[in-house]
Amino acid sequence: MTLQTLDETKRFQLLIDGITDYAIYLIDREGFVASWNAGARRLKGYEASEIIGKPYATFFTPEDRESGLPQEALKTAAASGRWEQEGWRVRKDGSRFWAMAVLDALYEDGAPIGYAKVTRDITERLEL
């Protein structure tokens, strides 16, 4: 078997799962995690079975959740197509890391269906 003999869906899944330096996942319109890649597992510490169906706000600091930042990010992405921010995020074990996060709105036939979320740990930038 080769990559060329695999169907498009399988090739795409291999691509996403093969990226381990970035957390890449889908969020539904209500803000719940709908998919999870190997990079998300490595970066955030959750197995897919532990986090799919849970609020994506789980990864924000308590301070950011209290201020409504996760909801504001969804609203901004819905209105403009994209939201980007650097800020603290929280792993399963409670430790924090400095992240570059991008949230893109997804559409099918012109209707919003959810969001693509990409997060990268850029903590080393703070340590320079």
Side-chain angles (χ1 to χ4, degrees):
M1 184 169 291
T2 67
L3 286 175
Q4 291 79 6
T5 61
L6 296 174
D7 68 40
E8 183 82 18
T9 301
K10 183 65 174 171
R11 282 196 304 262
F12 182 74
Q13 190 61 50
L14 286 171
L15 171 66
I16 296 301
D17 284 341
I19 298 170
T20 59
D21 287 345
Y22 292 82
I24 302 172
Y25 55 99
L26 296 172
I27 301 168
D28 69 18
R29 290 186 312 176
E30 290 75 36
F32 294 94
V33 177
S35 73
W36 200 243
N37 82 324
R41 183 180 66 240
R42 185 187 70 74
L43 182 63
K44 298 183 185 235
Y46 292 90
E47 295 296 327
S49 61
E50 297 176 290
I51 200 65
I52 291 178
K54 303 285 194 257
Y56 99 107
T58 301
F59 313 121
F60 286 78
T61 65
E63 302 84 19
D64 285 343
R65 286 194 306 269
E66 288 173 20
S67 74
L69 182 60
Q71 295 79 10
E72 186 61 34
L74 293 175
K75 286 179 191 173
T76 299
S80 68
R82 174 174 269 219
W83 175 84
E84 294 182 54
Q85 186 207 47
E86 287 187 20
W88 291 111
R89 295 296 180 270
V90 180
R91 292 186 175 93
K92 179 183 175 183
D93 67 6
S95 64
R96 293 182 182 206
F97 64 99
W98 191 252
M100 177 59 190
V102 177
L103 183 65
D104 286 301
L106 301 173
Y107 303 90
E108 186 169 19
D109 299 325
I113 59 169
Y115 305 89
K117 183 75 165 56
V118 179
T119 304
R120 180 165 183 145
D121 181 347
I122 59 170
T123 307
E124 73 278 354
R125 288 187 190 176
L126 299 178
E127 298 170 354
L128 296 176

